Amino acid sequence: MSRTRTAMLAALTLVAGASGTALAADPDAIGPAAVPCTVDYKVQNQWDTGFTAAVTVTNQGSARSNWSVKWSYAGNQKVTSGWNARISQSGAAVTAANETYNGALATGGSVSFGFQGSYSGTNAIPATFTLDGVTCNVDDGSGGPTDPPDPGPTGPKVDNPYSGAKVYVNPEWSAHAAAEPGGSRISNQPTGVWLDRTAAINGVNGGMGLRAHLDEALKQKGSGELVVQLVIYNLPGRDCSALASNGELGPTEIDKYKTQYIDPIAAILADPKYASLRIVNTVELDSLPNLVTNVTPRPTATPNCDTMKANGNYTKGVGYALGKLGDVPNVYNYVDAGHHGWLGWDDNFSATVQTLKQAATAEGATVGDVAGFITNTANYSALKEQYFTISDSVNGKSVRESKWVDWNRYVDELSYAQAFRQEAVSQGFPSGVGMLIDTSRNGWGGSARPTGPGATTDVDTYVSGGRIDRRIHVGNWCNQSGAGLGERPQANPATGIDAYVWMKPPGESDGASSAIPNDEGKGFDRMCDPTYTGNPRNNNNMSGALPNSPLSGHWFSAQFQQLMQNAYPPLS
């Protein structure tokens, strides 16, 4: 939960669960307003030795071309890095001044910045702030009533929401799984709840809506901690490089996304009834990475992705979602980070982190609204290649030169996720960010699973003979033939990894293998057609898709049976 400092005139209403606010009188104020400026300081994440904070300044006085916010700590807090402000510290005194690009602060305007700090002992909220020398928490004498009592801190968010917690089992998915022969072996596993269109908030075709899932989660929670996993997936112009999951909103409908989709979700999540749940949001799959790899001048560019990069609505939408949902104290946002077979090349990797940071600081969001990142969502990349590494060579040729690896820096999801986390921290995300890896369909067990390294005849034979991932090409993504369930969901499985999760519910289709008319905004993507001979994204290989698949998100019994059959670790 965020911790806030609040000192408000009684003329203003403090909404339960909202940010705390420190108020400053401004001698330059225009008009009779008793509270011409506010400073909002929130501790968003806190761990044993550090924390991140977000600060928002709102100016109701005269317009300013430069600004400076100051405060002092009562403890030993030290600011170690910041964003959207030039932050300096002398002893306990901290000064945050505008950057060159955000000095203008209009009457009624706001500006936000954030930082990461260290501490030991306690991390008390500063008692007093100033804005351009004006002391906060001071009534201007205009006759307003006295300040109401400070409600006090609500407590910080935990570093890893999965630690010490159960995870919500979706009863609708569980019923599908249990109805399959042998499905009871996994029907008690937790999976993500996909909010893939506005109607899903209230429930589709008589199914459970968001409140129904959260109510059920409270029942499952009992006296312990429980994580609920939601997939936020409805951007304008969604899935610009594919067709199977094109969404309901057109490329320009960013306002609908905000007001009809994100705002209602945020209102439900902020209901105090659900404050005891740990709510994990996986934010907008496949969106921001498309702005790196599938835009001009890349050979894989599509007109739709060029449009979304030009209009900025992916960046704006993700930023808005992070900021709005991140304001809810018990929400943890994990942003989609693709997978190693998409973004692991030198010209994609760092650029993707840069793109994610742009979104995480757009529309009022800060990097403090990001609890971490998730990789391999609804994908098939092997968690760990056991029989070759990126540093191996055969007859003088590096594994990177093999046709399968194709100069990628990573051969599996675990190495990619750990490296992605390090790159994100180096680019200004908090050091406490964690990673999730979707292991719902990347087990690759069964008779085709290798039991040792490939022959050292040449580098291609070596890699192909020993690779766990048995896809035809690492770019294949739709209902892959031969796939199996992967590692079961678990917390803290490896360094830097918050959890292995089943965010994509096993048995739910990636897309239809032929065109199916529907009112769900879902098109036909040839990558879901087993007869398709490919495109530049999979180097013109066969798609490797299963036949007779239904629309994305619909139950696909044949796939579910195959996933169980090829599970690794095997099902008992």
Side-chain angles (χ1 to χ4, degrees):
M1 296 181 180
S2 62
R3 298 168 60 227
T4 62
R5 170 67 187 175
T6 308
M8 301 193 70
L9 297 180
L12 299 181
T13 301
L14 178 61
V15 180
S19 305
T21 306
L23 304 178
D26 184 348
D28 297 328
I30 299 173
V35 188
C37 83
T38 63
V39 178
D40 179 0
Y41 178 108
K42 291 193 298 185
V43 173
Q44 296 191 309
N45 294 287
Q46 182 170 300
W47 54 100
D48 291 344
T49 59
F51 66 102
T52 60
V55 182
T56 298
V57 183
T58 302
N59 176 39
Q60 299 298 347
S62 301
R64 305 165 191 271
S65 58
N66 294 284
W67 51 265
S68 176
V69 177
K70 297 183 179 182
W71 66 88
S72 292
Y73 286 115
N76 61 0
Q77 295 97 324
K78 298 291 183 185
V79 175
T80 56
S81 63
W83 46 92
N84 292 342
R86 293 175 288 112
I87 304 178
S88 59
Q89 184 169 357
S90 177
V94 179
T95 299
N98 61 273
E99 295 279 12
T100 57
Y101 56 80
N102 65 355
L105 189 54
T107 302
S110 297
V111 66
S112 297
F113 61 91
F115 61 91
Q116 183 167 320
S118 63
Y119 78 101
S120 62
T122 59
N123 183 22
I125 303 300
T128 303
F129 301 88
T130 65
L131 173 62
D132 295 334
V134 178
T135 303
C136 295
N137 306 337
V138 175
D139 193 336
D140 70 353
S142 66
T146 57
D147 291 356
D150 190 324
T154 57
K157 293 182 180 179
V158 297
D159 182 44
N160 178 2
Y162 290 86
S163 291
K166 298 183 296 185
V167 187
Y168 174 63
V169 177
N170 179 350
E172 292 183 314
W173 175 83
S174 182
H176 275 300
E180 293 279 347
S184 60
R185 293 174 294 175
I186 63 166
S187 58
N188 64 341
Q189 291 291 348
T191 55
V193 174
W194 286 58
L195 302 175
D196 61 353
R197 46 188 158 145
T198 301
I201 300 171
N202 292 322
V204 178
N205 298 325
M208 296 173 70
L210 178 55
R211 281 194 179 276
H213 282 294
L214 296 177
D215 289 340
E216 174 64 22
L218 290 174
K219 296 177 184 177
Q220 293 184 19
K221 179 180 181 296
S223 59
E225 300 291 346
L226 185 131
V227 169
V228 179
Q229 301 175 127
L230 306 178
V231 179
I232 307 300
Y233 187 46
N234 198 29
L235 273 178
R238 190 179 74 191
D239 238 4
C240 63
S241 67
L243 298 171
S245 292
N246 287 163
E248 64 184 350
L249 299 178
T252 63
E253 294 186 293
I254 185 67
D255 289 339
K256 279 188 177 181
Y257 176 78
K258 292 177 178 180
T259 61
Q260 297 182 22
Y261 179 70
I262 294 297
D263 287 356
I265 292 173
I268 293 171
L269 299 188
D271 189 330
K273 178 181 182 181
Y274 306 123
S276 65
L277 300 171
R278 296 178 181 178
I279 300 171
V280 165
N281 293 323
T282 295
V283 179
E284 294 298 354
L285 314 180
D286 296 345
S287 59
L288 299 174
N290 272 312
L291 303 184
V292 176
T293 64
N294 294 320
V295 294
T296 303
R298 297 292 185 93
T300 53
T302 71
N304 289 341
C305 290
D306 281 340
T307 295
M308 298 318 299
K309 183 162 188 176
N311 68 25
N313 283 344
Y314 277 6
T315 300
K316 294 173 188 175
V318 171
Y320 187 82
L322 291 174
K324 192 80 173 181
L325 302 175
D327 283 344
V328 181
N330 53 314
V331 161
Y332 299 79
N333 292 320
Y334 288 79
V335 184
D336 180 65
H339 57 87
H340 88 275
W342 181 4
L343 303 172
W345 283 270
D346 293 343
D347 54 353
N348 299 344
F349 187 72
S350 179
T352 298
V353 178
Q354 293 172 17
T355 300
L356 267 58
K357 188 177 180 185
Q358 290 172 3
T361 52
E363 299 289 309
T366 73
V367 294
D369 289 313
V370 179
F373 306 92
I374 182 167
T375 76
N376 205 47
T377 311
N379 204 261
Y380 298 85
S381 295
L383 178 66
K384 177 67 177 174
E385 288 291 357
Q386 296 176 256
Y387 303 121
F388 68 95
T389 72
I390 199 67
S391 58
D392 290 351
S393 62
V394 177
N395 297 331
K397 282 200 167 186
S398 165
V399 157
R400 293 190 70 203
E401 299 180 66
S402 68
K403 292 178 182 178
W404 174 257
V405 179
D406 192 24
W407 297 102
N408 202 315
R409 288 281 179 192
Y410 307 97
V411 299
D412 53 35
E413 282 308 291
L414 182 56
S415 62
Y416 169 76
Q418 290 171 328
F420 194 94
R421 180 188 176 280
Q422 292 176 347
E423 179 67 18
V425 172
S426 75
Q427 291 198 32
F429 284 95
S431 62
V433 296
M435 302 296 297
L436 305 178
I437 301 176
D438 189 343
T439 59
S440 59
R441 304 181 302 179
N442 69 348
W444 295 103
S447 59
R449 185 180 178 90
T451 56
T456 56
T457 310
D458 57 64
V459 72
D460 285 320
T461 302
Y462 175 69
V463 170
S464 291
R467 61 182 168 92
I468 301 298
D469 188 337
R470 305 310 297 173
R471 284 177 292 176
I472 297 170
H473 188 271
V474 73
N476 288 356
W477 55 267
C478 193
N479 299 325
Q480 290 298 285
S481 178
L485 301 167
E487 290 284 348
R488 314 306 180 252
Q490 56 184 291
N492 298 303
T495 302
I497 310 300
D498 283 352
Y500 296 152
V501 298
W502 283 7
M503 202 61 69
K504 172 71 173 183
E508 292 189 2
S509 175
D510 296 321
S513 55
S514 59
I516 299 176
N518 67 91
D519 60 359
E520 300 176 28
K522 297 171 181 176
F524 169 50
D525 195 299
R526 288 296 306 279
M527 286 297 291
C528 300
D529 177 358
T531 69
Y532 185 47
T533 55
N535 57 47
R537 291 187 195 86
N538 78 335
N539 203 23
N540 296 299
N541 282 282
M542 297 297 289
S543 69
L546 290 169
N548 304 314
S549 58
L551 290 170
S552 63
H554 289 226
W555 191 254
F556 189 9
S557 177
Q559 183 202 53
F560 185 79
Q561 288 295 327
Q562 181 188 86
L563 291 173
M564 291 194 297
Q565 177 183 344
N566 294 333
Y568 194 90
L571 298 177
S572 57

